[in-house]
Amino acid sequence: MKRACNLLQELKPVVLMVLVQIVYAAGNVIYKLAINDGMNMTVAAAYRLILASAFTIPVALIFDRKKRPRITWRVLFMAFLCGLFGGNLFLNLYTEALALTSVTLMLTVVNLIPGITFVMAVLFGLEKLNFGAAEGKAKVVGTIIGISGAMVLIFVKGFEINIWSPKINLMHPHQNQNGHMASHLDFSNTLLGVSCAIGSCCSFSLYFIVQAKMIEAYPSFHSSIALICTMGAIQAVVVALFFERDWNQWKLSYNIRLLTVLYTGIVNSGIVGVVIVWCIKIRGPLFVSIFNPLQLLLGAVAAYLTLNEKLYLGSLLGAVLIVCGLYTVLWGKGKEAEKMTQLETTRV
């Protein structure tokens, strides 16, 4: 009995992270349906961050009520930057890219984030190349493989791959209010969409870098997340009000738009955020990162079956290269973490 309980405890983080990837993949499909319905994505980002803020503030008040550090102007400024790079800017670039491309392409490009974060950390002097060590080589090679995969994804099409038939097409071909055709995307749109996608990855990488500094200055995790979400919500509302003056876009009826706001705000940014924090605490950040390619697989299959998205050989090869690059970078970071742990143990 005890052995069974221990096994369940060991499996709990794995099951939770699989569920997280299912939630994220479903969120992308829901976003795509909302875009196809004509929903303005700056408004969707504002609502999402408002709900995320409403969810995280009570959590912070409960869990950090006895150990909340003093909030300084420096902490507020870093929270503002985190809200910009990890919330407002990231979401707006991501959803614009999703409108111009496909769920499969977006979920593939997102796997470039570890490699881009590594490049930025080197540029900012936060990491060294350390090319003489195996882990240093792995991070550099993995980043190059990932970028090569992105190039293949953009420029190589190849023949179409049919997985399953018949399919359920939930998309209806009409011109939405952003001017994007939901069914036929030309190469110029794809190129612009990929640029927005890579821009969203760069934004999220900057968020990781600033957040690492913020945690040092303000180590109360729940309160820092609440601060970031609140800052992101304020920025997103200002941006949405600037770009969208039609109040009909802000109205939420019982349709896909309300589902999008509730799902992405409460489930994606709220509940899932808490689950990920727990998994990081139990098994570490590397454990959480290795599940990211599962989101790509689930999202690609869901988009193929429900959104009438097509799969091509070039997309498959690009995705494989990006995932290989991701795991190579993660292997290098894992080896570095092991060496750091060994050094700290030796010093003690």
Side-chain angles (χ1 to χ4, degrees):
M1 187 68 179
K2 188 178 178 181
R3 189 174 178 182
C5 289
N6 290 336
L7 182 61
L8 285 173
Q9 286 298 318
E10 285 289 318
L11 287 175
K12 191 188 290 185
V14 176
V15 173
L16 285 173
M17 281 311 303
V18 170
L19 290 174
V20 163
Q21 302 312 316
I22 293 170
V23 166
Y24 277 152
N28 279 273
V29 173
I30 291 170
Y31 258 142
K32 194 69 176 178
L33 292 173
I35 291 166
N36 185 245
D37 191 59
M39 186 177 190
N40 186 291
M41 286 294 104
T42 59
V43 174
Y47 273 127
R48 174 173 177 169
L49 289 168
I50 289 168
L51 285 174
S53 180
F55 182 88
T56 53
I57 288 172
V59 171
L61 290 173
I62 293 167
F63 287 97
D64 294 343
R65 62 186 182 277
K66 295 179 181 179
K67 53 179 180 179
R68 191 179 299 110
R70 188 170 64 90
I71 299 174
T72 63
W73 286 109
R74 181 168 176 264
V75 169
L76 280 177
F77 178 65
M78 286 192 288
F80 176 87
L81 291 178
C82 285
L84 175 66
F85 295 130
N88 180 34
L89 185 60
F90 166 71
L91 284 176
N92 281 300
L93 284 172
Y94 187 95
T95 51
E96 182 63 20
L98 194 60
L100 289 165
T101 59
S102 66
V103 171
T104 305
L105 189 143
M106 280 306 303
L107 292 177
T108 304
V109 173
V110 162
N111 286 288
L112 289 173
I113 289 176
I116 293 172
T117 305
F118 167 65
V119 171
M120 286 189 170
V122 170
L123 292 175
F124 283 112
L126 300 174
E127 281 210 40
K128 294 181 180 179
L129 281 175
N130 196 19
F131 204 69
E135 56 271 20
K137 288 188 179 76
K139 289 195 291 185
V140 173
V141 171
T143 302
I144 293 169
I145 292 172
I147 293 169
S148 301
M151 294 300 102
V152 171
L153 191 73
I154 298 165
F155 296 108
V156 178
K157 194 171 184 180
F159 59 82
E160 185 179 342
I161 300 171
N162 290 310
I163 301 175
W164 184 268
S165 188
K167 298 180 284 185
I168 303 167
N169 185 14
L170 299 178
M171 302 283 275
H172 45 94
H174 74 288
Q175 184 83 17
N176 68 28
Q177 293 180 14
N178 288 324
H180 304 308
M181 283 300 292
S183 52
H184 302 291
L185 299 172
D186 57 28
F187 181 74
S188 61
N189 270 1
T190 302
L191 201 59
L192 178 60
V194 170
S195 299
C196 288
I198 292 172
S200 72
C201 292
C202 292
S203 180
F204 209 70
S205 296
L206 283 170
Y207 162 69
F208 280 143
I209 291 168
V210 178
Q211 192 198 39
K213 293 292 182 183
M214 183 177 172
I215 290 296
E216 290 177 9
Y218 192 76
S220 184
F221 189 82
H222 294 98
S223 294
S224 68
I225 293 296
L227 269 175
I228 290 166
C229 288
T230 303
M231 287 293 187
I234 293 168
Q235 295 168 31
V237 169
V238 171
V239 170
L241 288 172
F242 181 80
F243 284 104
E244 185 53 72
R245 305 292 176 84
D246 182 5
W247 288 106
N248 289 320
Q249 279 287 343
W250 291 83
K251 293 177 183 177
L252 298 173
S253 303
Y254 292 100
N255 54 22
I256 187 64
R257 301 187 187 198
L258 179 62
L259 175 63
T260 302
V261 168
L262 293 176
Y263 186 91
T264 58
I266 296 173
V267 182
N268 272 30
S269 294
I271 297 170
V272 165
V274 174
V275 170
I276 288 175
V277 169
W278 183 84
C279 289
I280 289 173
K281 185 178 178 181
I282 298 298
R283 299 290 291 270
L286 193 63
F287 171 82
V288 171
S289 299
I290 63 174
F291 286 88
N292 285 350
L294 179 60
Q295 180 187 159
L296 166 60
L297 175 64
L298 294 169
V301 172
Y304 177 83
L305 294 175
T306 62
L307 303 180
N308 200 33
E309 289 191 4
K310 292 178 172 57
L311 294 176
Y312 295 97
L313 180 63
S315 303
L316 182 63
L317 291 175
V320 169
L321 282 172
I322 288 173
V323 171
C324 288
L326 168 70
Y327 280 129
T328 306
V329 172
L330 292 178
W331 181 87
K333 292 186 77 67
K335 286 294 179 185
E336 272 191 354
E338 281 179 19
K339 284 191 174 181
M340 289 294 292
T341 305
Q342 287 171 3
L343 281 172
E344 287 173 7
T345 307
T346 306
R347 285 172 187 167
V348 172

